[in-house]
Amino acid sequence: MMSLKSNTMYLPLFLILTYTFTGSWIATPAEGARILAVEIVGGKSHWNFMSAILRTLVDNGHNVTVFTPFLDGNRENYTEYDTSMGSERILDGQLEELMDKYGNPIKVIDQMSTMSRMLCNVVYENSKMKEIFSNTRSDDFDIVLIEPLFSECVSYLAVKLNLPLIYVLPIPTMGVMERRFTGDMSNPAVVSINIANFGIPKTFAQRAINFAAYLIYCTAILNFNELRYRLKEPQEYDLHAPIPPSLIFVNRHFTIEPASPIPSNVVEIGGIHLKTPKKLPKVGTKLSIY
């Protein structure tokens, strides 16, 4: 009787262990994520990085719906919607013209924050995006993947659809937006801001300039512009508090960048857009430049 009672006591434990070990050998079905991606910038270098990420996701079984100024053509698990009409002036700009327009480090923060809201408006006014906003069920998409600029208006898409948010940065640093994106900021005494004309602040003067540019000039300009546009040209996304991204994919690699702190939600994927190099031709082979 005692033996029977003892065996009964250990039966639940035996069943749990049996289920655990047998379950580990059984393959469970997995479904790909349904990703809503947006490339708001009409710059080819930006799209090269974003498209490489999307291509990798599709190749690994995920379903991607993307709004982009650069159309590659629909294929299995990949659907595109054109936003090039609103990005024409960026798409058609030559490098020299862009440098003349946006090369001034004093003016660029104001210009980029203004452009960010304009590009958000282009995407949100797209007829297909309006359809997604009005008809989307809670299970149509699983996550939002988008490139931010100098405004958090891009997070409105995730807020509206109640989805997790991933930012894609084609440049190696977040600069003035780092605190807004991650809740933290790099020490301006050791990490240069984007608009600085030095790679690493080494002297006291450079550190003072870096600190002033980051905390005083850039922060003040961004906050002023956000307030000005909310009062002057209020948009639907101004009524909703922005949300921080769950992850940030950054085009950088620690081996070629100055030392800097990396927040836990930042993932370095530098080089994902690079293709396998072709083999060099044999000696004596004629090369064609066409």
Side-chain angles (χ1 to χ4, degrees), residues 31-189:
E31 293 184 0
R34 292 155 297 184
I35 300 166
L36 178 59
V38 179
E39 176 54 78
I40 68 170
V41 181
K44 190 64 176 177
S45 60
H46 293 249
W47 176 241
N48 286 342
F49 186 64
M50 173 69 87
S51 63
I53 296 173
L54 301 183
R55 193 182 311 114
T56 302
L57 291 170
V58 171
D59 291 344
N60 282 275
H62 301 288
N63 188 291
V64 172
T65 299
V66 58
F67 288 77
T68 173
F70 299 96
L71 299 181
D72 294 330
N74 293 341
R75 53 190 181 275
E76 186 179 1
N77 290 337
Y78 182 84
T79 306
E80 294 177 327
Y81 294 103
D82 188 9
T83 61
S84 61
M85 188 66 69
S87 301
E88 260 184 328
R89 56 176 140 170
I90 304 172
L91 284 166
D92 297 336
Q94 299 299 315
L95 181 59
E96 189 174 342
E97 295 173 7
L98 290 174
M99 288 300 295
D100 289 340
K101 189 172 183 180
Y102 302 111
N104 188 324
I106 302 300
K107 296 180 180 179
V108 70
I109 300 297
D110 176 64
Q111 293 170 323
M112 288 294 113
S113 61
T114 300
M115 182 192 294
S116 298
R117 289 179 64 95
M118 182 271 289
L119 293 174
C120 279
N121 294 341
V122 168
V123 171
Y124 297 148
E125 289 299 318
N126 183 281
S127 58
K128 183 60 184 179
M129 183 61 76
K130 287 183 176 180
E131 185 180 323
I132 289 175
F133 279 156
S134 59
N135 299 332
T136 294
R137 302 187 306 274
S138 60
D139 61 346
D140 281 352
F141 297 103
D142 298 311
I143 202 160
V144 171
L145 196 77
I146 192 167
E147 178 187 345
L149 274 178
F150 283 73
S151 173
E152 292 179 284
C153 60
V154 292
S155 74
Y156 170 67
L157 181 56
V159 172
K160 183 75 173 177
L161 302 180
N162 193 28
L163 294 174
L165 177 65
I166 295 179
Y167 279 161
V168 173
L169 289 178
I171 58 175
T173 61
M174 288 174 275
V176 69
M177 299 301 291
E178 182 178 12
R179 185 160 193 162
R180 298 190 182 199
F181 292 167
T182 68
D184 197 8
M185 61 174 282
S186 299
N187 187 344

Side-chain angles (χ1 to χ4, degrees), residues 221-278:
I221 290 294
L222 285 174
N223 291 338
F224 174 75
N225 278 358
E226 285 290 327
L227 178 61
R228 179 179 56 154
Y229 282 113
R230 286 181 182 185
L231 296 175
K232 185 180 177 182
E233 300 173 13
Q235 303 293 332
E236 172 69 22
Y237 49 76
D238 290 325
L239 301 176
H240 300 267
I243 61 172
S246 301
L247 283 176
I248 305 173
F249 292 144
V250 181
N251 186 15
R252 61 172 285 164
H253 195 276
F254 69 93
T255 58
I256 57 174
E257 294 295 330
S260 63
I262 306 295
S264 58
N265 66 333
V266 174
V267 182
E268 295 183 336
I269 56 172
I272 193 173
H273 60 296
L274 301 179
K275 298 179 181 178
T276 304
K278 297 179 181 178

Side-chain angles (χ1 to χ4, degrees), residues 185-211:
M185 61 174 282
S186 299
N187 187 344
V190 293
V191 179
S192 295
I193 193 172
N194 304 52
I195 64 173
N197 60 358
F198 41 82
I200 301 174
K202 296 180 179 179
T203 67
F204 176 79
Q206 289 176 339
R207 290 171 180 172
I209 292 171
N210 203 47
F211 178 85

